[in-house]
Each structure stands twice: as structure tokens, then as C-alpha cells.
Amino acid sequence: MASLDIRVAHRQAQAQTLSPRLQHAVRLLQMSSLDFAAMLRETLGRNPFLEVEEGEDGEGGDADATPADWDDAPPSLLQDALAPQAAPADMSDVDPDGGFDGPAATHDDDGAHSDGDRELWAADGASAARGAGDGEFGALDLIAVDTPLNEHLHRQLNVLPLPARDLLLARAIVESLDDDGYLRTPLEELLDVAELDPAVDLQELQIALRCVQALEPAGVGARDVAECLLLQLPTIACTDTRALARAIITDHLPALAARDTAGLARRLRQPAARVEAACERIRRLDPRPGWRIGSSQVPYVVPDVIVRKVRGQWTVQLNPAVVPRVRINQVYEQLFQRHRTPANAELGEHLQEARWTLRNVEQRFSTILDVAEAIVKRQQAFLDYGPMAMKPLGLKEIADEVGVHESTVSRVTNNKYMATPVGVLELKSFFSRAMISANGSACSGTAIRSLVKDIIEAESPDAPLSDAEITRQLAQQGLVVARRTVTKYRQMLKIDAVERRRRAA
């Protein structure tokens, strides 16, 4: 019998790892401007050492002013936490970025620092006290609060005379709806959601689903587009039109999407005018009923950088609207440094987080500006002459120029936008691989996509060009492009296929 040989070997190796702080900085760099602003607002809300820098117009009051009623003002939580305490005899050193780097300051019995502390607190509280008038409302206080879709549906369920068991199942279905108002989860998977005795069966869930589908907005709780449209058919007043629309949605939904009115008229054996009227009425239904409830704010793109031509040269600058004006509250920092004790270790962590946040903000926008400047330097022809002049560009070129890794450039260009004279463009749209033409010159995919758009716009309305015909025209101009590539570019341009363009004509 062979013996088992077990050995223990020790080996040393060097490897690069990302510290938690660096991982956090990488995540911040990848965020869009809106997500980054939301994260920063959340950090401002929980970190007492961070504050918004006041504007030049003086809003927020003079920091040197002292309110007359400061003696009656209640002490803040931070003031209570930083109240002078007797330091222990032995105190170990802590991180200087936010903790303790030596013995705590001692305090005399007569409160030598009390007068200075009072002046600091009064200076910091002046602006807040001035702007907080009793009984006054601002414009933001009068804005209506948006109601989420699930809360809107729960309110309707609360007024229905449902047994407790049925109400619980209906609420479970409401919580499973997506933002469009659809139930994407199969009912079978919801059987184990509600732990009821006796166990829930599929028929009970179907009854609860019908209850949810009867709520407003019409069409909510559908499991596909056809069911969503069918749930909204009662809004059609004409009986004949409603019956014809039901037949179209149930059996001929692809033909409806293709706008094949003639084919629908033949299959349904109805006049083309009636079929067209029914199709038009169906198109007025809402395929995403959940969008009617919820946030009323329209999302829009805010550019991170702005490109202008000044004295014949393209210049890049950060958009002031997206650059946060935050700083460390010097009053709180001085008070913490004066009264720091082991009991205030949590405040030391907050101070360290505040300093890291400021460094991350500076690094984020500095990197974005450097990458944007490198992109503009290589794509000046595009800014001067349009998409046909876009040059091929790779991440490595910009990474070498800025002095960072390609992955960093990829994170910077994701969800970051540049305002140019030709429109607001995502930074990653300036990158494309080189496509070699017949004469050996390199051409970018953006230029070919622009050429495809020009060819389609110049086609005859009576004889639209297919993707294969567009491919042949590109080949005649020395650009060898696959037909599937032309199809991809046409879809990116949101241009219908040749069959739909022919019917529309």
C-alpha cells in the first residue's frame, strides 16, 4: 500500500490589492453625475463635519454674526458630544487623519476654553438661526410629494372589502410588480411568499391577481403586453370597435406592430377603414401603465464637461452645475481637535470620512477633465466638421495620454457627458475601432453610421433601400462593411427596416 506524502511549503509572492478606500474611490469614479450627487447628499446628511459651501451671493448669512437669542438656542448633538470631559491618565495614539495622535488636551476647572467654544458655536449657528423663521414656507415645501406605484395600489386595496387572507395575497402581488406595472414573476413562484395556514394554492393567487388588475391605472398587473392592452379595452366606448380591437390584440398582435393594415383587413374580413380605426384606437392605449404613477420628474442628461471654441481653439471646462461645493466645517473640526477624547472616536471616523470625501471629489473631477481634454485634442475634426470627420480612437490612446489605466478611462467615460456645439454626447461615443477602407485609410464606425444615415435620407420614398443595398453602396465608395453591421448601425439610428419604411410611404 502506497504511503501518503503530505508536505507543507511556504512561498512568498507580491500581489497588488485594492484597499477599501481605493475601491470606494473607483466606485465613485464610475458613477454618473446624478448618482454621485445623490451619494454626496447622503454623506452630507450623516457626516457632521461636511457642509455645503455658501455661494458668493451671501446666502446663508455672515459667519461672523451672532444671533441675539443664542443663549436660548438648544445645544446640538455634536455640541453635546464634544462637551469637555476629563481625559484618562493613559491614552494611546490614534490615526492623525481623524483619531487621536497624542494625549488629549486637559481642561482647567474654570473652563478656560468655554468662552472660545461659545464664540465658535455662535459663529457657526448664525446662518442657520437667521434662515429658520417660524411659520415660514419655502418653495420646496409647496411641491407635491410623488406617490410610488405600490403605495398608490395599496391605498386602493385598503378601501376594498376584502378578507384578510385575500388582502395579504393582493399586497404580495402588488409588491412583485415592476416599474412598468407588469407582473414579471410567475404566479407559481409567489406561492411560497405568503406563509399562510392553510397553504396558498394557485387559484387563490389568480383571484388576487384579478383583484389587482381591477385597480387604477388600467392595465396594471398584466403579465405581457397583450394582456395589458386587453385590460384597457373597456375604455373604448364603441362596442364594435372594442370587439375588433380585442380580435386584433388576441390573434394578430405582430401584424399590429408591423402596421400591416391591409393584411389585417384580409384576415379579419373587415373593411380597411374599420381596421385602421381600431388599430389607431389600440395605439392610444398605454403599454406601460405604471409610468403614470410615481415620479413626475423628467430625467434629463446633465453634461459633466462643456466644450467651447475660444479664439480658434477648443477649450474644455467642468460644468459648474455638477461640481459639488462642499467643505469641512472648520468650527466643528476645531472643537473636535480641542476636546477629542476616546469617547469621541466615532466623530474621529466622521472627520476622516469627510477628508476622504473631499479628496475623492477632487480626484474624480480632475480625472474627468483630463480625459475630456485628451478626447477633444484627438477629435477636433469632429467638432469642426461633424460625424463624418470622427477619427478612430481607443481607450489605450487616452490612457497613455492621461497616465492612467485603460479600466480607469472606461469608468470615466461611462455615464459621463460632454456638451458640444453639435449636441450633448456621452464620452464613450468618441471611441470606435478603426475600419480600413479600400484605399487603406482608417475610418471610424461613427463616420460610417453617419454615412448610412445620409444614404437612407436620400433614398426614394417609393423605393426604400434594404440593408443589403446600403451595403453595396458603401462598397462602391470603398467601405467594405458587413450587412449585419449596417443593420446594427440602422438600429442604433432608430430607423425602421425597409418593410416598415415602404408601408409608411
Side-chain angles (χ1 to χ4, degrees), residues 182-503:
Y182 284 80
L183 180 64
R184 309 288 187 184
T185 306
L187 287 177
E188 291 77 6
E189 296 183 9
L190 297 179
L191 291 176
D192 298 331
V193 172
E195 298 180 355
L196 299 177
D197 187 19
V200 180
D201 57 23
L202 187 59
Q203 185 178 2
E204 286 184 291
L205 277 179
Q206 291 174 346
I207 295 175
L209 177 61
R210 294 293 180 266
C211 179
V212 173
Q213 291 177 346
L215 303 177
E216 290 292 334
V220 71
R223 286 160 289 186
D224 52 41
V225 176
E227 186 177 15
C228 179
L229 298 177
L230 290 174
L231 291 172
Q232 300 178 58
L233 286 183
T235 59
I236 301 178
C238 179
T239 305
D240 296 337
T241 304
R242 184 167 62 247
L244 185 57
R246 183 180 298 276
I248 294 174
I249 295 173
T250 303
D251 301 322
H252 308 287
L253 196 58
L256 172 67
R259 297 179 179 269
D260 188 6
T261 305
L264 283 173
R266 289 194 305 269
R267 297 170 191 172
L268 297 172
R269 298 179 181 179
Q270 295 287 338
R274 286 193 58 193
V275 173
E276 179 60 29
C279 292
E280 180 62 27
R281 188 62 184 85
I282 294 174
R283 296 188 188 100
R284 289 162 58 185
L285 302 178
D286 191 354
R288 296 182 178 90
W291 286 15
R292 287 184 250 163
I293 308 298
S295 177
S296 59
Q297 299 179 356
V298 178
Y300 56 92
V301 172
V302 179
D304 297 86
V305 292
I306 301 174
V307 178
R308 294 189 179 95
K309 199 169 190 178
V310 180
R311 298 178 182 178
Q313 298 293 329
W314 290 104
T315 61
V316 183
Q317 67 177 23
L318 292 171
N319 184 4
V322 301
V323 179
R325 303 181 62 180
V326 294
R327 65 184 180 187
I328 293 180
N329 190 308
Q330 298 297 328
V331 174
Y332 290 177
E333 183 181 20
Q334 292 177 22
L335 288 170
F336 171 74
Q337 297 292 353
R338 183 177 298 179
H339 301 294
R340 53 187 179 182
T341 65
N344 298 330
E346 183 178 356
L347 290 177
E349 296 176 359
H350 282 305
L351 180 57
Q352 187 178 49
E353 181 192 30
R355 290 171 176 168
W356 284 357
T357 300
L358 294 184
R359 294 170 190 165
N360 290 334
V361 169
E362 181 181 0
Q363 181 180 7
R364 168 188 168 90
F365 289 99
S366 175
T367 307
I368 291 176
L369 183 60
D370 292 342
V371 171
E373 288 178 344
I375 292 175
V376 170
K377 181 179 178 181
R378 285 165 172 75
Q379 299 292 3
Q380 293 187 19
F382 163 76
L383 298 173
D384 289 326
Y385 304 107
M388 288 294 295
M390 180 76 78
K391 296 181 179 179
L393 184 62
L395 295 176
K396 190 175 186 307
E397 298 180 49
I398 301 299
D400 294 341
E401 172 74 16
V402 179
V404 296
H405 195 268
E406 292 182 42
S407 61
T408 302
V409 177
S410 177
R411 293 185 178 95
V412 170
T413 56
N414 186 38
N415 293 323
K416 312 296 187 305
Y417 294 87
M418 176 187 296
T420 69
V422 297
V424 178
L425 305 173
E426 192 173 5
L427 292 184
K428 69 178 182 180
S429 65
F430 290 90
F431 296 87
S432 61
R433 63 183 182 89
M435 305 182 71
I436 307 301
S437 61
N439 58 5
S441 60
C443 184
S444 69
T446 303
I448 297 178
R449 188 162 60 247
S450 177
L451 187 57
V452 170
K453 181 180 179 181
D454 293 342
I455 293 175
I456 295 178
E457 290 179 349
E459 69 183 5
S460 173
D462 299 330
L465 300 175
S466 64
D467 295 341
E469 293 170 338
I470 296 175
T471 303
R472 286 192 290 270
Q473 289 196 17
L474 291 175
Q476 294 174 2
Q477 301 182 35
L479 298 173
V480 180
V481 182
R483 184 198 57 78
R484 62 177 178 273
T485 303
V486 173
T487 302
K488 181 182 71 173
Y489 287 165
R490 176 181 56 75
Q491 293 174 348
M492 293 175 63
L493 294 169
K494 300 185 184 302
I495 298 177
D496 292 335
V498 59
E499 294 81 6
R500 294 192 178 183
R501 302 206 305 273
R502 184 179 294 114
R503 293 194 188 100

Side-chain angles (χ1 to χ4, degrees), residues 117-181:
D117 295 348
R118 187 178 185 82
E119 293 177 359
L120 287 174
W121 284 113
D124 182 71
S127 59
R130 181 181 295 109
D134 294 337
E136 296 182 359
F137 294 93
L140 295 178
D141 297 327
L142 303 178
I143 298 178
V145 178
D146 294 323
T147 303
L149 176 63
N150 59 347
E151 182 177 344
H152 176 74
L153 297 176
H154 284 316
R155 291 178 180 178
Q156 299 179 60
L157 290 174
N158 289 337
V159 299
L160 295 179
L162 295 176
R165 183 182 179 92
D166 295 341
L167 180 61
L168 180 60
L169 296 179
R171 291 188 184 281
I173 292 177
V174 166
E175 291 300 325
S176 300
L177 301 180
D178 60 11
D179 293 338
D180 295 340

